[in-house]
Amino acid sequence: MADSLKFRPFFRSASVKLAAVYGVLFAISAVALVLFLLWSTTNLVDEQVEAAINADAQGLLERWNEGGMPSLVLTLKERVAENVDDDAIYFLADAEEARITGNLDAWPAKVIFPNIFYDMAVTRGQVVSHAAVRRFNLPGGFLLLVGRDVRGPQQLKRLLPGTLIWCAVLMTVLGLAGGLVMRNLFRRMVADVSATAEAISRGELGHRVRRSGRGDEFDRMAEAINTMLDRIARLMDGVRQVSNSIAHDLRTPITRARARLEDAAYHAQGEPELRAAVERAVADLDGVTAVFQALMRIAEIEAGSRRSAFAEIDLGPLLADLAELYGALAEEQGLTLRLDVPDTLPAFGDRDLVQQAVANLLDNAIKFSPQGTQIRLSAYVSDRKIRISVADQGPGIPEADRERAAERFFRGEQARSTPGSGLGLALVQAVATLHDGALLLEDARPGLRATLSLPAVPPARMEPASSARDALAMGAVAQEPIV
Amino acid sequence: MIRIALLPLLLVAIPAFGQERPMMITSDTPEYCEQLQARVAQFGFGDPDVQRLVTEGKRMCDHGEIRGGIARMRRALMMQLKQGRRQQMPPWPDLPPRRRR
């Protein structure tokens, strides 16, 4: 009882079952192959013997037709004499089955019907052998028996099953051995994956599945699992970093608002002073709300739910309207905004999101450009992608920071002194990813060139779409940039 | 009780009774060896290889190695036929009287 309990987990093991299934399938295949070989070989041997008898008889019947009985008798004698293989059997008899010629001592009693191959025992000297024979009825009631000694094929038939059974046994043993090898491989792989999962659940997030280095399927699976774990680790780092950034970035305005309110409560000289303090605190808290709204919007974009709202849009008019809107703002800052965009630029995506992304890029450019410089908004199609580029002549982003510039709350050294939450480029990145596009930040020498790539739509597919100007007129655009 | 005792005998006897008598091949006999030798001799022993095969065959047949002896006689006959003597083939010699074995 204890033994059966001990072995139960062994038989429940998936690797044991896999090995057993593999072994059984291999054994069945081996037995089927052996049976097929046996059957086909036996058939082939029988067919060859029967074909030889039929061909021999055909020749003899021709001799009978050409020269009658004397010719046939002579041919039979010659064939017996010339039978170097010593396997031919002939017997010519009259209607009473009495011997005329041949190399059998008498007509075999069992050979009654023509067109049937009979198997019969024959003796050669002291040795009993087997022969396949066939009866042919000749005109005049004469009987001809033609046969072949099948001792050789019989021996082959006798040897084959034994040989093939041994082959089957060997193949089955090899199959079982293969099954065991597979079981061990499976167990080793599963054990490693299991150990990794357990380690991660214990909090050892750096643990990874080991690779054998053979480059096989197990290695590829280990790589896939490790890539997944790396990605999860990066995401967790991101979440941790965002949480820290939220705590850090929001603490300042909240603390400031609290300090203002406290100061007003204790030191305000009258209602106007108190009201002004409250208004400043409300403005600070509005900034906090805006950050939360931006975070929620990025999260919404990253969730991909807005993909269902994708449509064919024309970016040409949309970018022209944005240039007009931000041109005035740039002018106020002493900057020049140049537009280099074709009239029509068909794309497939979410109009509002693309507009917000480009607005963020323009807002950043205006914010960081020194007076008297130029900002260039351009767009062109290349490699079936629409590339919308905003280039300024500001301080740019150092190469070391460019990779992280699109992360949430990331603010470079030069951006610390300017207002903003560090979410603008994160939103542009989210919009690009949602559209299967990309955000590329490059050195414009001097300044920064931010390029947003989106998939283009061939002009033939482009349907007449309302321009951004119409949308502006309907009040559907005009979203605040996230900076 | 006696019937039960005889049952094994009966079981042994039934297959033996059902077995067919093996037919005898007559071209494996010393008589046939002699007949083949006489047949080869009808063409003459011009070729030394034929002579050698016939001598070997006869010696083997005389020593009871009938099938080996007959095989050599047949090969000797085939060599003669390959040398184009089938056209001049005389009628088969009469069988020598059958010896009692």
Side-chain angles (χ1 to χ4, degrees):
Chain A
M1 185 67 189
D3 278 351
S4 70
L5 284 174
K6 191 172 135 191
F7 282 109
R8 196 170 291 167
F10 178 76
F11 287 112
R12 271 191 197 155
S13 157
S15 59
V16 171
K17 283 180 193 162
L18 183 73
V21 167
Y22 181 85
V24 168
L25 279 178
F26 205 84
I28 290 171
S29 309
V31 169
L33 181 69
V34 162
L35 287 177
F36 174 74
L37 275 177
L38 190 62
W39 173 78
S40 59
T41 312
T42 310
N43 265 5
L44 184 70
V45 166
D46 288 345
E47 279 171 14
Q48 280 181 341
V49 169
E50 289 172 12
I53 290 172
N54 285 337
D56 206 359
Q58 185 65 34
L60 292 171
L61 294 175
E62 280 170 13
R63 299 301 293 270
W64 166 271
N65 290 334
E66 287 166 9
M69 180 59 79
S71 175
L72 181 59
V73 170
L74 182 63
T75 306
L76 286 175
K77 282 183 176 175
E78 281 173 6
R79 289 202 177 177
V80 173
E82 294 164 15
N83 181 216
V84 178
D85 293 337
D86 197 18
D87 62 348
I89 295 169
Y90 302 103
F91 195 80
L92 181 62
D94 61 16
E96 306 302 320
E97 295 182 355
R99 185 177 187 279
I100 296 172
T101 189
N103 59 346
L104 267 186
D105 61 340
W107 183 270
K110 68 188 276 189
V111 182
I112 301 165
F113 302 107
N115 303 325
I116 293 175
F117 287 91
Y118 291 89
D119 180 65
M120 65 176 200
V122 291
T123 54
R124 289 182 170 276
Q126 305 299 318
V127 183
V128 177
S129 176
H130 273 265
V133 297
R134 185 180 167 185
R135 168 182 172 150
F136 296 89
N137 292 340
L138 301 178
F142 293 104
L143 304 173
L144 174 64
L145 183 136
V146 180
R148 282 287 181 279
D149 190 328
V150 289
R151 186 183 42 208
Q154 283 282 349
Q155 278 177 346
L156 180 67
K157 278 188 194 176
R158 259 202 311 277
L159 282 174
L160 258 179
T163 311
L164 292 178
I165 284 168
W166 275 113
C167 282
V169 169
L170 193 65
M171 286 163 84
T172 307
V173 169
L174 284 174
L176 287 172
L180 284 174
V181 170
M182 272 188 67
R183 166 183 168 258
N184 286 342
L185 272 173
F186 186 72
R187 279 182 72 176
R188 208 168 58 213
M189 188 63 211
V190 169
D192 209 21
V193 172
S194 177
T196 304
E198 279 171 16
I200 286 171
S201 65
R202 279 197 306 270
E204 298 169 27
L205 301 181
H207 206 285
R208 293 291 179 268
V209 182
R210 269 178 307 176
R211 291 180 67 243
S212 66
R214 286 191 292 267
D216 54 12
E217 289 82 352
F218 290 126
D219 262 10
R220 285 202 288 277
M221 189 173 91
E223 270 173 28
I225 291 173
N226 289 343
T227 307
M228 179 187 76
L229 292 174
D230 289 345
R231 169 89 176 132
I232 289 171
R234 274 202 304 276
L235 287 173
M236 286 180 70
D237 280 347
V239 168
R240 199 177 297 121
Q241 192 186 339
V242 167
S243 308
N244 292 342
S245 299
I246 289 172
H248 180 264
D249 283 32
L250 299 188
R251 192 180 59 185
T252 309
I254 291 172
T255 309
R256 200 163 53 219
R258 184 189 177 282
R260 276 178 181 151
L261 289 173
E262 192 179 40
D263 184 54
Y266 288 120
H267 304 110
Q269 298 298 317
E271 191 188 333
E273 203 173 323
L274 195 61
R275 188 178 292 277
V278 169
E279 278 173 3
R280 281 198 299 274
V282 167
D284 282 339
L285 293 174
D286 279 349
V288 173
T289 311
V291 168
F292 275 113
Q293 276 175 345
L295 277 172
M296 286 171 71
R297 187 150 178 80
I298 292 170
E300 182 199 2
I301 294 166
E302 284 182 343
S305 57
R306 294 199 59 146
R307 201 171 271 133
S308 58
F310 276 17
E312 287 175 359
I313 52 175
D314 190 353
L315 294 180
L318 185 145
L319 295 176
D321 290 341
L322 279 172
E324 193 179 324
L325 197 67
Y326 280 87
L329 192 62
E331 210 170 304
E332 279 176 23
Q333 307 286 325
L335 303 166
T336 315
L337 178 62
R338 261 193 63 195
L339 178 69
D340 184 10
V341 174
D343 291 339
T344 301
L345 208 52
F348 187 73
D350 186 310
R351 175 192 300 276
D352 293 351
L353 292 181
V354 174
Q355 188 170 0
Q356 183 153 34
V358 179
N360 281 8
L361 294 178
L362 285 170
D363 197 76
N364 274 351
I366 290 170
K367 202 160 57 181
F368 291 104
S369 292
Q371 270 195 345
T373 58
Q374 190 183 64
I375 296 168
R376 187 163 174 249
L377 170 62
S378 60
Y380 57 95
V381 180
S382 155
D383 295 335
R384 304 178 73 180
K385 293 267 183 193
I386 294 175
R387 299 180 199 277
I388 304 165
S389 177
V390 176
D392 60 46
Q393 294 171 334
I397 300 176
E399 195 172 351
D401 289 347
R402 265 181 229 150
E403 266 192 35
R404 297 187 56 216
E407 288 177 7
R408 288 176 183 83
F409 296 108
F410 178 82
R411 288 169 69 74
E413 282 302 316
Q414 288 154 325
R416 297 225 182 267
S417 54
T418 52
S421 62
L423 293 172
L425 285 179
L427 183 130
V428 179
Q429 177 68 66
V431 170
T433 307
L434 180 75
H435 285 80
D436 293 326
L439 171 65
L440 181 65
L441 302 175
E442 296 167 293
D443 191 353
R445 296 171 197 276
L448 178 76
R449 184 187 300 114
T451 306
L452 174 65
S453 303
L454 301 171
V457 173
R461 279 192 58 192
M462 186 64 197
E463 289 171 12
S466 56
S467 71
R469 203 183 301 273
D470 299 334
L472 273 171
M474 291 165 72
V477 220
Q479 286 159 347
E480 283 294 312
I482 295 170
V483 290
Chain B
M1 190 68 188
I2 294 170
R3 281 181 193 169
I4 294 170
L6 287 176
L7 195 61
L9 277 177
L10 193 67
L11 289 173
V12 171
I14 286 171
F17 181 75
Q19 269 182 350
E20 58 176 310
R21 182 183 69 85
M23 306 299 295
M24 199 177 82
I25 302 289
T26 57
S27 54
D28 282 341
T29 55
E31 292 82 8
Y32 190 71
C33 186
E34 284 175 28
Q35 194 181 0
L36 272 180
Q37 190 188 343
R39 178 68 170 163
V40 177
Q42 282 180 317
F43 296 108
F45 301 124
D47 190 329
D49 286 338
V50 172
Q51 174 70 57
R52 181 179 55 77
L53 281 170
V54 169
T55 310
E56 276 180 20
K58 185 174 183 316
R59 194 186 68 241
M60 290 176 84
C61 285
D62 290 345
H63 285 85
E65 296 169 31
I66 310 297
R67 295 189 70 184
I70 288 176
R72 278 159 180 75
M73 294 293 181
R74 280 178 167 146
R75 273 157 55 194
L77 184 63
M78 291 305 291
M79 284 177 74
Q80 287 178 320
L81 293 175
K82 275 182 189 164
Q83 287 163 6
R85 300 190 184 178
R86 192 181 281 278
Q87 300 307 320
Q88 336 152 5
M89 195 177 276
W92 272 78
D94 290 332
L95 268 174
R98 193 180 171 93
R99 287 186 300 197
R100 190 177 289 275
R101 281 190 294 173

